[in-house]
């Protein structure tokens, strides 16, 4: 009986412990469930991933030259600049097929004090599936389609026939560009009301085909000519270009512009043209030979003091010891109809730098 009573006492003690333990577990579970439900999602939820991307390009190219220039019966040695410049470009894609762009670029005046010179590009654009729209100082179709493919030399006046009276960068510009396979259409208009008739001061449009190493393009340009606020007339240009990468070593390009100088006084109207032909041949791994033939006709008679027509040629030998560095030796000759001839021989360096970030 004593043993039975002892066992009953032990069972009663174990039962009491079990009930006490069960009560503690239930209380802990109840306390956990009583926490605010809003805390759990904040602790486990991950931030959404953005599908927007940004690309930033920073670049610079420094192009000093040194040479002997024989011009207008005078010879001198001079340090010059072959269009050194620096800039940056930002492109932000905010949805598939849509991006915002800004581009700023400024010349560097190495021929003098090395200061930043005039702006070359300063615009903002938006690219859409329906084309690209830009406002600000930009390249026009005339340069993009006609001049760029013959502009292969290390000289500030290249292309030599295109240079005297043709456009490179245009301010106060509204541009539209549409790409469809190998075809590209560009149209630009300059709106500078304070200097013109408060209408379109310049219109330039072109269509190009680019595929399998071949480039072919046609453009039309029209711009008003003013003396202060008096309209003197218009300039009209029809132009075409061809370029082809014949082999990995041989490249050739030509461009032609027919220019009509239409003036309100018919006696002052005239017709001129420009012609540029460029070739580049890879002699060896680090050496390239470039040559060009050009002709510029401003439409004046050869005996007219206003005549600045010329033709000529140039030969350039390049040494490319490393990818960003280019060293050149150039001979240039221009024969004028109404002025003394010009020739020069120069050496120069070109160092290109570019850095890109994406995030």
């Amino acid at each position: 009986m004593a043993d039975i009573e002892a066992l009953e006492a032990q069972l009663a003690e174990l039962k009491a412990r079990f009930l006490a333990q069960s009560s503690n577990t239930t209380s802990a579970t109840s306390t956990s469930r009583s926490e605010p439900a809003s805390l759990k999602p904040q602790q486990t939820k991950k931030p959404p991933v953005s599908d927007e991307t940004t690309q930033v390009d920073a670049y610079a190219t420094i192009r000093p030259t040194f040479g002997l220039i024989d011009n207008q019966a005078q010879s001198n040695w001079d340090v010059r600049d072959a269009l050194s410049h620096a800039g940056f470009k930002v492109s932000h894609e905010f949805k598939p097929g849509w991006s915002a762009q800004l581009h700023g670029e400024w010349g560097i005046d190495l021929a003098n004090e090395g200061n930043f010179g005039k702006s070359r590009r300063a615009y903002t654009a938006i690219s859409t599936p329906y084309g690209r729209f830009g406002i600000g100082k930009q390249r026009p179709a005339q340069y993009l389609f006609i001049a760029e493919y013959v502009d292969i030399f290390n000289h500030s006046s290249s292309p030599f026939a295109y240079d005297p009276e043709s456009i490179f960068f245009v301010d106060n510009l509204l541009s539209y560009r549409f790409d469809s396979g190998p075809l590209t259409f560009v149209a630009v208009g300059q709106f500078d009301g304070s200097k013109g008739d408060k209408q379109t001061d310049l219109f330039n449009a072109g269509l190009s085909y680019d595929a399998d190493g071949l480039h072919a393009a046609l453009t039309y340009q029209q711009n008003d000519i003013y003396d202060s606020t008096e309209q003197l007339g218009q300039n009209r240009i029809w132009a075409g270009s061809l370029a082809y990468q014949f082999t990995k070593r041989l490249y050739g390009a030509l461009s032609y512009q027919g220019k009509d100088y239409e003036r309100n006084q018919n006696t002052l109207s005239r017709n001129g043209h420009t012609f540029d032909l460029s070739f580049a041949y890879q002699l060896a791994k680090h050496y390239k030979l470039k040559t060009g033939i050009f002709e510029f006709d401003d439409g004046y008679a050869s005996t007219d003091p206003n005549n600045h027509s010329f033709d000529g040629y140039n030969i350039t030998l390049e040494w490319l010891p490393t990818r960003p560095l280019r060293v050149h030796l150039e001979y240039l000759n221009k024969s004028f109809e109404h002025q003394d001839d010009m020739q020069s021989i120069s050496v120069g360096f070109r160092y290109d730098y570019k850095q890109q970030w994406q995030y």
Side-chain angles (χ1 to χ4, degrees):
M1 291 297 295
D3 292 337
I4 291 174
E5 290 176 356
L7 287 173
E8 288 177 348
Q10 291 177 4
L11 288 173
E13 184 180 358
L14 289 173
K15 184 177 180 181
R17 289 181 179 179
F18 176 79
L19 292 175
Q21 185 176 0
S22 299
S23 177
N24 291 337
T25 302
T26 302
S27 176
T29 303
S30 176
T31 302
S32 176
R33 290 177 180 174
S34 68
E35 293 177 357
S38 61
L39 292 179
K40 288 186 178 180
Q42 290 182 3
Q43 294 172 350
T44 59
K45 186 177 180 180
K46 295 181 180 180
V49 178
S50 174
D51 57 355
E52 298 187 13
T53 59
T54 300
Q55 178 175 306
V56 180
D57 294 291
Y59 59 90
T61 176
I62 305 298
R63 308 175 181 182
T65 66
F66 174 68
L68 175 65
I69 299 95
D70 185 356
N71 190 24
Q72 301 300 314
Q74 294 183 350
S75 297
N76 58 80
W77 294 91
D78 197 7
V79 171
R80 294 194 172 188
D81 176 68
L83 299 179
S84 300
H85 58 270
F88 66 92
K89 184 177 182 181
V90 182
S91 179
H92 179 78
E93 185 177 15
F94 53 90
K95 62 184 295 186
W98 294 74
S99 63
Q101 303 169 3
L102 70 88
H103 195 175
E105 182 179 293
W106 296 266
I108 302 175
D109 189 10
L110 291 184
N112 293 296
E113 298 181 0
N115 299 327
F116 268 15
K118 296 181 179 179
S119 66
R120 290 160 56 91
R121 276 182 265 223
Y123 68 88
T124 297
I126 180 170
S127 181
T128 77
Y130 313 102
R132 175 185 175 277
F133 303 85
I135 302 177
K137 192 169 187 178
Q138 306 165 68
R139 290 281 200 193
Q142 200 70 9
Y143 180 84
L144 294 173
F145 290 165
I146 303 302
E148 184 172 24
Y149 293 85
V150 291
D151 190 10
I152 64 174
F153 302 104
N154 304 285
H155 203 284
S156 60
S157 298
S158 173
F160 297 102
Y162 177 92
D163 174 76
E165 295 187 18
S166 303
I167 51 180
F168 287 85
F169 299 95
V170 181
D171 55 12
N172 301 299
L173 201 67
L174 179 67
S175 70
Y176 172 75
R177 174 175 180 144
F178 183 77
D179 295 272
S180 178
L183 297 176
T184 301
F185 172 76
V186 172
V188 302
Q190 184 185 37
F191 298 87
D192 190 1
S194 64
K195 295 182 180 179
D197 59 357
K198 298 185 179 180
Q199 304 297 323
T200 303
D201 302 298
L202 178 146
F203 174 76
N204 182 209
L207 181 67
S208 75
Y209 173 87
D210 297 270
D212 301 322
L214 173 66
H215 164 80
L218 291 173
T219 64
Y220 172 74
Q221 176 188 326
Q222 174 184 316
N223 61 288
D224 299 328
I225 303 299
Y226 287 88
D227 180 8
S228 185
T229 58
E230 180 186 359
Q231 184 178 9
L232 302 180
Q234 293 181 334
N235 290 340
R236 299 178 186 271
I237 300 176
W238 286 96
S241 66
L242 283 173
Y244 189 64
Q245 188 73 46
F246 294 93
T247 67
K248 290 183 178 180
R249 288 189 167 189
L250 180 61
Y251 169 82
L254 63 87
S255 68
Y256 180 86
Q257 297 182 120
K259 188 168 185 177
D260 296 332
Y261 302 82
E262 299 178 358
R263 298 296 178 262
N264 296 334
Q265 296 184 24
N266 292 331
T267 57
L268 300 178
S269 298
R270 62 191 195 278
N271 297 318
H273 69 267
T274 74
F275 174 77
D276 286 281
L277 176 65
S278 302
F279 285 100
Y281 183 73
Q282 190 81 35
L283 296 173
K285 182 178 180 180
H286 298 294
Y287 294 92
K288 183 178 289 187
L289 180 67
K290 296 179 178 179
T291 185
I293 301 172
F294 47 86
E295 180 183 29
F296 169 68
D297 182 359
D298 59 11
Y300 287 104
S302 58
T303 56
D304 194 316
N306 295 312
N307 182 289
H308 296 285
S309 301
F310 62 83
D311 57 33
Y313 64 93
N314 71 311
I315 301 174
T316 300
L317 177 63
E318 288 184 344
W319 174 47
L320 304 94
T322 183
R323 187 171 184 176
L325 178 63
R326 192 184 300 180
V327 182
H328 77 269
L329 172 65
E330 180 194 63
Y331 174 74
L332 171 65
N333 181 282
K334 289 184 179 180
S335 298
F336 291 86
E337 288 190 11
H338 195 70
Q339 304 173 40
D340 294 328
D341 294 347
M342 175 268 185
Q343 58 183 350
S344 69
I345 183 168
S346 61
V347 295
F349 305 142
R350 171 174 168 171
Y351 187 89
D352 299 326
Y353 168 82
K354 183 177 181 180
Q355 183 66 46
Q356 185 178 96
W357 299 270
Q358 290 184 337
Y359 57 91

